[in-house]
Amino acid sequence: MKIISVEAFPFSLPSRRDFRWAGMLGQLGNFVAVRITTENGVTGYGEATPLPDWGGDFARHGGETIGTVINMVTTVIGPALIGQDVTAVTRAAQIMDRVAVGNVYAKCAVSIALYDAWGKCAGLPVYKLLGGQVRDSVPVAHMVGLMPEEDALEEAIAAIDDGVSCLQIKGGTDAARDIRLIGVLRKRLGDDITLRLDANQGYGHAKSAMETVRRLVEAGVSMVEQPSEGLRYMAEVTASSSVPVIADESCWDVNDALDVVSTRAADCISVYLAKAGGISGACKVADVAEASLIPCDVNGSIESAIGTAANVHFALARPAVSLGAVIAISGPAGRHPYRVAGHYYDDDILTEPMQVSNGSILPLDAPGLGITVDEEKLAAFRCDK
């Protein structure tokens, strides 16, 4: 089961439309693939979605790029893992932390590939390696990006018509626009749909954010994600809010999760595999949340099929991950199960579409990540050749 090679290379997918959030300068759909090969011929795939312009509170986390991830994996992390047992994921995580400080996106991509290979070696899907499923499927919250109000309304209604019951509405650049949009959506969609407004830290200091959240509640919002920057301001907003407040940029790893709990900075936590440095780190965040009676979602930067599959396995196996997941539903060109819901890319690198029911992704039961990577398509989408 020893690792004999660790590769990293960039690839891109074509977007169905432009998806953005507050502060985002680049485009979705750019990834790093990691491929780990073992001495017995097993291949594990991982993925990173680094964004240099997105990170944690006060720029304490983040800042990785496609280039930095590839360089760290190929020159630092990969060489340190050659000869290691691919199933020894805890030891691998320790090795990665020893040879590289930070660089959580690079570590996440390697972590996913390790779990994929381990599952294939054991003949088990990743969620069983994580303790087995605690839910029958993973409900998806469709992300409505920053776009003109009429376009956002059209996107949201179409996603609900596809069958999802939760929307993440991107905002934070214009509070009045966000309040209007939530009000219109609540009137059009009724009371049974979860409307989650993600401000990406955009509502300023505590008093400003508190007033905006109050008006969003009057308009019909169900939850507000990351209205302010920093635990101090987040705690003030959370204490004053009559709807749940979600920490995203304020909570990356297990240490941040402990700080969120101790300061009462949020009612919920948005967990990214990448923020936590991989699957094992994300499990620690979710387990702290569970012990503290804090619900979570699994979120990210709208991964390709590789990262999405990892998110599904994580969400299936962690009790705290009970909120709608802001993730893609992956399918190859012309075979996506929905017209809009979870449909961010016109094509993807898996051979068969993920199976869904009522806006939820069903378990991926094949060994490892449970998907078959289309090698020809992956090669065609590579950006370095």
Side-chain angles (χ1 to χ4, degrees), residues 335-380:
R335 301 178 62 194
H336 198 282
Y338 293 132
R339 183 171 69 89
V340 169
H343 189 170
Y344 302 98
Y345 303 117
D346 287 331
D347 202 357
D348 213 323
I349 55 171
L350 73 174
T351 60
E352 297 293 329
M354 292 181 177
Q355 299 301 300
V356 297
S357 176
N358 298 320
S360 298
I361 303 176
L362 300 179
L364 303 166
D365 286 321
L369 290 176
I371 62 171
T372 299
V373 172
D374 187 325
E375 297 283 356
E376 292 184 0
K377 196 172 285 186
L378 179 58

Side-chain angles (χ1 to χ4, degrees), residues 43-114:
T43 299
Y45 281 98
E47 176 193 318
T49 56
L51 294 169
D53 53 6
W54 188 82
D57 283 342
F58 310 115
R60 291 172 180 164
H61 298 288
E64 290 173 74
T65 68
I66 297 288
T68 63
V69 169
I70 292 172
N71 185 60
M72 288 300 297
V73 172
T74 56
T75 66
V76 179
I77 294 173
L81 294 178
I82 299 298
Q84 296 294 324
D85 180 358
V86 77
T87 70
V89 295
T90 301
R91 176 168 174 76
Q94 292 174 328
I95 291 171
M96 288 194 284
D97 286 342
R98 188 181 75 241
V99 301
V101 174
N103 290 277
V104 290
Y105 279 83
K107 292 174 182 176
C108 176
V110 173
S111 168
I112 293 171
L114 289 167

Side-chain angles (χ1 to χ4, degrees), residues 165-236:
S165 58
C166 179
L167 298 171
Q168 184 204 51
I169 310 297
K170 291 295 188 180
T173 61
D174 182 347
R177 172 262 188 197
D178 299 343
I179 294 163
R180 285 195 306 272
L181 181 56
I182 289 296
V184 172
L185 285 170
R186 179 57 71 203
K187 290 178 181 177
R188 291 289 296 271
L189 299 176
D191 295 333
D192 295 333
I193 301 301
T194 298
L195 298 178
R196 166 178 169 179
L197 192 289
D198 182 10
N200 285 113
Q201 304 176 310
Y203 292 149
H205 56 71
K207 287 188 177 180
S208 172
M210 288 160 62
E211 174 61 16
T212 300
V213 170
R214 183 188 66 78
R215 294 177 64 193
L216 284 166
V217 171
E218 291 177 349
V221 81
S222 307
M223 316 176 82
V224 179
E225 182 177 345
Q226 199 68 44
S228 293
E229 181 175 18
L231 297 182
R232 172 188 166 189
Y233 288 160
M234 284 285 288
E236 292 184 53

Side-chain angles (χ1 to χ4, degrees), residues 15 30 43 89 160 207 228 249 255 272 309 313 323 330 358:
S15 297
N30 299 301
T43 299
V89 295
I160 296 300
K207 287 188 177 180
S228 293
E249 286 91 340
N255 295 309
Y272 290 35
H313 287 282
L323 304 178
S330 300
N358 298 320

